[in-house]
Amino acid sequence: MEETLIWKLEAKAKEIRRYIILMTAAAGSGHPGGSLSATDIVTALYFGVMRLDPKRPDDPDRDRFVLSKGHAAPLLYAALALRGFFPEQELITLRKLGSRLQGHPDMRKLPGVEMSTGSLGQGLSAANGMALAARLDGRDYRVYVLLGDGECQEGQVWEAAMAAAHYRLDNVTTFLDYNGLQIDGPVEEVMSLGAVADKWRAFGWNVIEIDGHNFREILGAVAAAKETKGKPTMVIARTVKGKGVSFMENQVDWHGTAPKADQASRALEELEG
């Protein structure tokens, strides 16, 4: 069964990466680098972990996902469309006038989007509120969050980290997309996160470190988080900016630059090969 699931996830991740290239190329703008780096994490969550029903996007017992690094919207949109929340044909309207697929996700416009994000640092706070609501309502859903590494330079992230630990929110699992690059350059040069795993442990979190492109490790981390009681879990996922497209990998310029037509063709050839 696990081998079948891994095969399924690998196939879905390839589809999502193709859509990220197609969408950003058609729009002429967007953020492919960080969308590609987090693709395997989001694929595992949407197609191997989370309890969801696209026909009932407001199901009170659904698991929640908060894309705190909201600029990776192409990734979220592709996952939602492939999961059945809206037609795949709509993906090509990314950032077009009148499209529901804005540059950053809007929970008021698109089914499946749990939180409007884009102002960095706010997603974990919102997720904490959802997790507390589950406790108050006696529901067993879980809340998953995706943070960017550059985003962790925001002070609100650490306020939310303290709150989650204080309230013992063991239904919160956060993934850190640790690709080492942000819009202005290497994270270590812009503002180093230091011993980031030790920091989250010091804030009272259960910390797991993984290869963010290894589905077995991603699924294993989720399983371990579910078994952890009394504290939230931070999964530090080492990733590669632009993963899957050779000329984008580890290149900071692809943080917020869309591929031109010839570059998109090259990228798609690689992903289909």
Side-chain angles (χ1 to χ4, degrees):
M1 179 62 184
E2 181 177 327
E3 290 300 321
T4 302
L5 176 58
I6 297 299
W7 179 87
K8 173 188 170 183
L9 294 177
E10 289 173 348
K12 286 295 182 184
K14 182 177 288 190
E15 283 188 82
I16 288 174
R17 285 191 166 95
R18 287 186 69 257
Y19 269 128
I20 289 167
I21 297 300
L22 288 168
M23 294 161 67
T24 54
S29 63
H31 296 79
S35 295
L36 292 167
S37 67
T39 293
D40 299 314
I41 297 167
V42 172
T43 300
L45 292 176
Y46 273 91
F47 297 93
V49 173
M50 291 198 297
R51 182 174 60 195
L52 296 169
D53 182 354
K55 295 179 180 178
R56 299 179 60 210
D58 296 326
D59 179 3
D61 291 315
R62 72 192 183 281
D63 290 334
R64 274 75 164 167
F65 173 76
V66 178
L67 180 69
S68 191
K69 45 175 277 181
H71 54 274
L75 165 59
L76 177 59
Y77 296 154
L80 288 173
L82 287 170
R83 193 68 172 78
F85 282 89
F86 61 90
E88 291 179 41
Q89 303 93 292
E90 195 171 342
L91 289 173
I92 208 68
T93 70
L94 174 73
R95 289 178 172 241
K96 296 292 196 297
L97 186 64
S99 172
R100 296 191 293 176
L101 279 59
Q102 300 184 15
H104 295 80
D106 187 339
M107 63 190 291
R108 301 168 301 172
K109 296 184 179 297
L110 199 64
V113 175
E114 297 290 352
M115 185 65 196
S116 301
T117 54
S119 295
L120 293 176
Q122 299 180 358
L124 182 54
S125 295
N128 286 346
M130 296 174 191
L132 283 167
R135 179 181 296 172
L136 292 170
D137 292 342
R139 300 188 183 276
D140 66 349
Y141 64 78
R142 300 187 64 81
V143 186
Y144 297 92
V145 188
L146 181 66
L147 286 174
D149 46 6
E151 183 179 15
C152 288
Q153 295 159 353
E154 297 279 357
Q156 185 171 343
V157 170
W158 300 100
E159 293 180 52
M162 283 191 290
H166 176 79
Y167 290 107
R168 301 168 64 86
L169 299 181
D170 51 20
N171 54 344
V172 171
T173 301
T174 300
F175 283 84
L176 175 61
D177 180 21
Y178 206 168
N179 61 46
L181 296 172
Q182 59 189 108
I183 192 167
D184 291 328
V187 172
E188 289 302 301
E189 294 179 11
V190 177
M191 186 180 292
S192 174
L193 299 181
V196 67
D198 290 339
K199 286 181 178 177
W200 284 93
R201 290 189 185 98
F203 272 72
W205 286 57
N206 172 46
V207 176
I208 302 169
E209 299 184 68
I210 65 167
D211 173 354
H213 301 303
N214 185 312
F215 284 115
R216 288 179 178 80
E217 293 190 19
I218 296 169
L219 296 173
V222 170
K226 289 180 178 179
E227 295 298 318
T228 300
K229 304 302 179 186
K231 59 173 61 177
T233 293
M234 162 55 72
V235 182
I236 298 175
R238 296 283 178 174
T239 59
V240 175
K241 195 94 165 184
K243 177 68 174 178
V245 179
S246 62
F247 61 87
M248 291 185 176
E249 290 188 354
N250 288 315
Q251 299 300 312
V252 70
D253 290 346
W254 291 105
H255 176 91
T257 302
K260 300 185 184 304
D262 61 323
Q263 294 169 323
S265 294
R266 286 173 55 200
L268 292 172
E269 284 179 10
E270 287 191 20
L271 290 168
E272 290 167 359

